Amino acid sequence: MSIRTLDDLLAEGVSGRRVLVRADLNVPLDKQTGAITDDGRIRAVLPTLRALTEAGAKVVVFSHLGRPKGAPDPQYSLRPVAGRLGELLGVPVSFAEDTVGDSARSTVDALADGELALLENLRFNKGETSKDDAERGAFADQLGALGEAYVDDAFGAVHRKHASVHDVPARLPHVAGRLVLREVEVLSRLTGEPERPYVVVLGGSKVSDKLAVIEALLPKVDKLLIGGGMCFTFLKAQGHEVGTSLLEEEMVGTCADLLARADGKILLPVDVVAADAFAPDAAHDTVPADAIPSKRLGLDVGPRTVAAFAEVIGTARTVFWNGPMGVFEMPAFAAGTRGVAEAITKADAFTVVGGGDSAAAVRALGLDESSFGHISTGGGASLEYLEGKTLPGIAALED
């Protein structure tokens, strides 16, 4: 790929220029207080923002948050993010009450060299996510008019054909930010010739969400370890009772076919933590994976599975992990995810955490982020990259 980078833009000089930065500030908020519960995505874009402000650019940051329906919705406002961004940068961050209206224009016009503003949620505008090229393009025209150059540092959004990701870069000189460049470099190592053994750990709730990446990875990996809610559809495909565990009945045949074609590469849990309800205080026991009681549901992988997975991970030279092993948000069902994650940190390997819930689990469980080779900021984007799909946001940066 031929992509210009932030360093190319900085070399040309950005002092006094209005630079648009598409960031991924889609952080989780506490439903009761509105407080940010995980600021990892904000921290990830700081190197790009600091480089631009220190070079004297007038930096205009825009992002989405949640899934509003194309109109302003207070619960999805980026105002709390502006406050946290200012705290992390150590400088005031101006906040525009809209994205392309009077507030945005006046806020951008008021920026001095080296200052930064954050615009309100992009998805308060229908044009951002519209499938109509003209509607999306009209919104991109308004966004583009706010700046003189464009930096994409929102890897978590590059798989979306949205105005701020796909259409704005066509209207301005465009480069990849530090975060996007690092993500592409890391994932390219996985899609090229990864050092072997290459082990992939997949979790999460649904096989259907991961089917495409399983199909793409199966010929390339040495071992594929499967946990999380998705493992029960595979166990059902082996003819086992899964009780009331999460099950995609329509995917059982597909899982049976994958197992038949895997030539022993797929490893499934040998024990699970089965509970009598989906609740933090539910009664639970560890049972063999082929003997789940009919009225119980699996909420985590068991200790024998963690040990078996850790043994395989310990032999690896490359590890990619996407998806928790259980309901890690509930302490009683977090041991599986913790155990597998800790095994990954101990591996003498290049290790990549594939964003999304996996990255959230690393932080929620208090694990040392620096003990992983790379933690992606884009779960869906990283999976689609590994599938070999063309990502609209990356394609838009190519010259």
Side-chain angles (χ1 to χ4, degrees):
M1 292 184 295
S2 176
I3 294 179
R4 297 179 72 245
T5 69
L6 180 64
D7 288 338
D8 294 324
L9 180 63
L10 293 171
E12 295 169 0
V14 295
S15 182
R17 297 175 67 189
R18 288 176 285 114
V19 179
L20 305 183
V21 178
R22 176 50 162 108
D24 180 10
L25 306 178
N26 184 29
V27 294
L29 302 175
D30 184 278
K31 291 182 179 179
Q32 301 300 321
T33 66
I36 296 167
T37 59
D38 181 354
D39 64 3
R41 284 176 170 165
I42 304 176
R43 292 177 180 275
V45 77
L46 295 181
T48 288
L49 300 183
R50 286 196 177 107
L52 287 166
T53 55
E54 289 170 4
K58 300 175 180 181
V59 182
V60 182
V61 183
F62 49 92
S63 175
H64 72 284
L65 177 66
R67 295 188 177 182
K69 306 298 184 183
D73 186 337
Q75 69 176 317
Y76 296 117
S77 174
L78 280 166
R79 181 175 286 281
V81 176
R84 183 58 179 150
L85 183 58
E87 291 173 1
L88 293 171
L89 288 172
V91 297
V93 172
S94 302
F95 181 68
E97 302 287 345
D98 55 31
T99 310
V100 292
D102 291 342
S103 180
R105 289 189 293 271
S106 62
T107 301
V108 171
D109 287 344
L111 286 174
D113 295 359
E115 291 186 343
L116 185 147
L118 175 64
L119 307 184
E120 185 55 285
N121 196 331
L122 286 162
R123 293 187 182 175
F124 287 178
N125 306 268
K126 290 182 179 179
E128 167 65 1
T129 60
S130 176
K131 290 181 168 53
D132 181 86
D133 290 348
E135 184 176 23
R136 208 175 55 249
F139 182 53
D141 287 340
Q142 292 177 291
L143 281 173
L146 297 172
E148 300 165 78
Y150 171 91
V151 179
D152 190 344
D153 219 26
F155 183 74
V158 295
H159 59 316
R160 306 295 188 193
K161 191 176 180 180
H162 292 170
S164 63
V165 174
H166 178 264
D167 301 279
V168 175
R171 289 154 170 79
L172 293 171
H174 48 268
V175 302
R178 296 258 159 85
L179 172 61
V180 164
L181 188 64
R182 171 66 176 159
E183 296 272 14
V184 171
E185 289 173 346
V186 165
L187 294 173
S188 293
R189 288 181 62 175
L190 300 183
T191 56
E193 294 294 333
E195 192 172 353
R196 295 186 180 280
Y198 177 22
V199 174
V200 170
V201 184
L202 291 181
S205 58
K206 295 183 178 180
V207 178
S208 54
D209 291 342
K210 303 283 173 72
L211 179 60
V213 77
I214 293 173
E215 292 276 12
L217 288 173
L218 203 51
K220 301 176 182 179
V221 304
D222 296 290
K223 291 292 181 181
L224 178 58
L225 316 182
I226 294 179
M230 63 189 290
C231 77
F232 299 107
T233 304
F234 279 94
L235 291 171
K236 185 73 171 180
Q238 290 184 323
H240 301 315
E241 168 68 59
V242 297
T244 59
S245 304
L246 185 64
L247 176 67
E248 289 184 281
E249 192 72 53
E250 70 282 4
M251 297 296 295
V252 172
T254 300
C255 289
D257 177 62
L258 287 168
L259 290 168
R261 291 191 282 119
D263 195 26
K265 288 183 179 181
I266 293 178
L267 272 67
L268 297 175
V270 293
D271 60 348
V272 303
V273 180
D276 61 8
F278 187 88
D281 57 352
H284 57 277
D285 296 294
T286 300
V287 300
D290 59 358
I292 300 172
S294 62
K295 293 184 179 180
R296 287 203 164 194
L297 71 162
L299 295 182
D300 194 13
V301 298
R304 288 173 51 221
T305 298
V306 171
F309 282 12
E311 184 176 355
V312 173
I313 292 166
T315 68
R317 296 293 294 164
T318 304
V319 179
F320 175 75
W321 169 38
N322 180 278
M325 297 293 99
V327 188
F328 72 90
E329 299 91 344
M330 300 179 187
F333 311 111
T337 300
R338 179 184 293 279
V340 169
E342 289 177 344
I344 294 171
T345 67
K346 296 172 184 175
D348 183 17
F350 176 58
T351 59
V352 179
V353 180
D357 287 341
S358 312
V362 168
R363 289 187 279 270
L365 296 174
L367 300 172
D368 182 3
E369 294 183 49
S370 67
S371 61
F372 298 91
H374 178 71
I375 299 179
S376 178
T377 55
S382 63
L383 290 179
E384 291 195 16
Y385 192 99
L386 294 184
E387 290 168 29
K389 288 185 176 181
T390 297
L391 305 184
I394 300 299
L397 298 176
E398 296 179 12
D399 290 323

